[in-house]
Amino acid sequence: MLWSKVISFALVSLALAHLQTALQEESFSACPANFTQVGEKCLMVDSMWKTWYEADRNCRSLSAGLVSVENSVQLKLIQDWLPIAAQYTLEFWTSGNSLGSPGKYFWQNTGSSATYLPWATDQPKTDAGDCLTLYANYSMATGEFVIDVHRLRVNNCTLWAKSICEIEPKAYKTLVCLNSSAFYEAQIPV
Ligand SMILES: *[C@@H]1O[C@H](CO)[C@@H](O)[C@H](O)[C@H]1NC(C)=O
Ligand SMILES: *[C@@H]1O[C@H](CO)[C@@H](O)[C@H](O)[C@H]1NC(C)=O
Ligand SMILES: *[C@@H]1O[C@H](CO)[C@@H](O)[C@H](O)[C@H]1NC(C)=O
Ligand SMILES: *[C@@H]1O[C@H](CO)[C@@H](O)[C@H](O)[C@H]1NC(C)=O
């Protein structure tokens, strides 16, 4: 009786050890609710009009930050995604600003100096304010409302605009667990 229990325990342990080594390697990343994976970032449009300060606070309340645009690959991904996420919206707050550092822009969300600055036509108009939006010009020339791609524009931080929050995808791994009655899989943040 005892021996048969020991043997079945050994067999289960052996099977478990194999499953664990097999499944532990199964890792994946996912975005929080309401965020969409865009390249290596999770993004979410906030469609409520807010000042830059309010928009920044709103993102932080979600453990996120206003979006930063660090290179041309990120810009292209965001430009392609925006018309899907928020059709016909011309302007969104980013984390970019020159608050307290006139003429020098930083990405508030990463703390890094903004070296890649893809300005919209006629920008930067540094007298307009201290905060950066992603802005798209539009045209009715053909009789239809046509929106250009979004690029950076300087604006007054106290104006109201929609905004984009960003957060990094969270990494998970799948583990096989054993309780007194069953095997089950658990997704655990890593
Ligand atoms: C996601 O958005 C919906 C609708 O706006 C909202 O009710 C829900 O609370 C949001 N979920 C999270 C986790 O913020
Ligand atoms: C931004 O707008 C506010 C309110 O209209 C105004 O008082 C302030 O001078 C403006 N700031 C800049 C940099 O234009
Ligand atoms: C926006 O587009 C119009 C033509 O549709 C053009 O006249 C105007 O200069 C553009 N404005 C900017 C800021 O690019
Ligand atoms: C064991 O895990 C299964 C699957 O998650 C669950 O349905 C069951 O209630 C658990 N039993 C105990 C005793 O925790």
Side-chain angles (χ1 to χ4, degrees), residues 127-130 156 158:
D127 290 349
D130 292 305
N156 188 320
T158 63

Side-chain angles (χ1 to χ4, degrees), residues 49 81-92 136-140 144-148 150 162:
W49 291 43
W81 172 73
L82 277 179
I84 304 163
Q87 213 181 5
Y88 303 130
T89 307
L90 298 182
E91 195 158 25
F92 304 89
N137 199 1
Y138 69 96
S139 152
M140 299 281 292
E144 274 182 71
F145 188 70
V146 179
I147 289 192
D148 199 358
H150 290 80
K162 298 184 181 184

Side-chain angles (χ1 to χ4, degrees), residues 179-184:
N179 64 18
S180 52
S181 65
F183 292 107
Y184 60 94

Side-chain angles (χ1 to χ4, degrees), residues 5 7 16-17 20-22 47 54 56-57 59 72 83 102 109 115 132 145 150 152 155 158 164-166 168-169 175:
K5 273 191 180 168
I7 286 165
L16 183 64
Q20 275 207 349
T21 40
S47 301
E54 290 166 341
D56 185 49
R57 284 201 293 273
C59 293
S72 58
N109 191 34
T115 47
L132 300 184
F145 188 70
H150 290 80
L152 295 177
N155 225 329
T158 63
I164 306 167
C165 297
E166 79 172 19
E168 279 184 21
L175 285 183

Side-chain angles (χ1 to χ4, degrees), residues 74-86:
Q74 286 183 12
L75 178 68
K76 179 76 168 66
L77 286 165
I78 293 169
Q79 286 172 335
D80 290 347
W81 172 73
L82 277 179
I84 304 163

Side-chain angles (χ1 to χ4, degrees), residues 32-139:
N34 298 341
F35 282 78
T36 305
Q37 184 142 6
V38 179
E40 291 173 356
K41 298 179 173 195
C42 300
L43 302 182
M44 185 193 71
V45 165
D46 177 9
S47 301
M48 301 286 284
W49 291 43
K50 295 182 167 75
T51 68
W52 184 86
Y53 303 99
E54 290 166 341
D56 185 49
R57 284 201 293 273
N58 175 60
C59 293
R60 285 166 194 269
S61 76
L62 303 169
S63 306
L66 281 169
V67 72
S68 306
V69 186
E70 282 126 330
N71 54 54
S72 58
V73 176
Q74 286 183 12
L75 178 68
K76 179 76 168 66
L77 286 165
I78 293 169
Q79 286 172 335
D80 290 347
W81 172 73
L82 277 179
I84 304 163
Q87 213 181 5
Y88 303 130
T89 307
L90 298 182
E91 195 158 25
F92 304 89
W93 288 123
T94 70
S95 80
N97 72 84
S98 62
L99 288 163
S101 56
K104 185 150 174 47
Y105 293 97
F106 289 88
W107 297 116
Q108 194 77 6
N109 191 34
T110 63
S112 61
S113 177
T115 47
Y116 175 68
L117 289 164
W119 295 116
T121 312
D122 297 337
Q123 292 290 322
K125 287 188 172 151
T126 51
D127 290 349
D130 292 305
C131 292
L132 300 184
T133 58
L134 274 170
Y135 168 78
N137 199 1
Y138 69 96
S139 152

